Amino acid sequence: MVRSIKTPSNGTYLAVVNMGVRQVDDVAITLPVSGTVRDAVVPLVNGKLVLSMYPAQLRSFRVGP
């Protein structure tokens, strides 16, 4: 599940949650907005986030100018 929260001046925040009880690998998330993604671990691959997530894991990102 992905939730996008747009702010007036700080970009857009994304919350990504694995709602399942199993690990998921290579999940591609298409970004709803363009900009620089702030996360220390996950690079962009062809304009998408590609994640592996543990059960019930929450990840958050900020997309901004």
Side-chain angles (χ1 to χ4, degrees):
M1 177 177 81
V2 178
R3 170 114 191 236
S4 175
I5 304 163
K6 187 174 181 177
T7 67
S9 59
N10 292 314
T12 300
Y13 289 86
L14 301 176
V16 182
V17 181
N18 177 3
M19 302 283 289
V21 295
R22 294 192 171 100
Q23 179 172 328
V24 292
D25 294 315
D26 301 325
V27 176
I29 310 280
T30 301
L31 300 176
V33 293
S34 61
T36 302
V37 177
R38 304 281 189 230
D39 183 72
V41 180
V42 179
L44 284 179
V45 177
N46 295 325
K48 297 181 181 182
L49 292 171
V50 178
L51 306 172
S52 292
M53 298 180 71
Y54 297 110
Q57 184 177 13
L58 168 66
R59 299 288 307 270
S60 60
F61 305 92
R62 183 173 75 88
V63 183

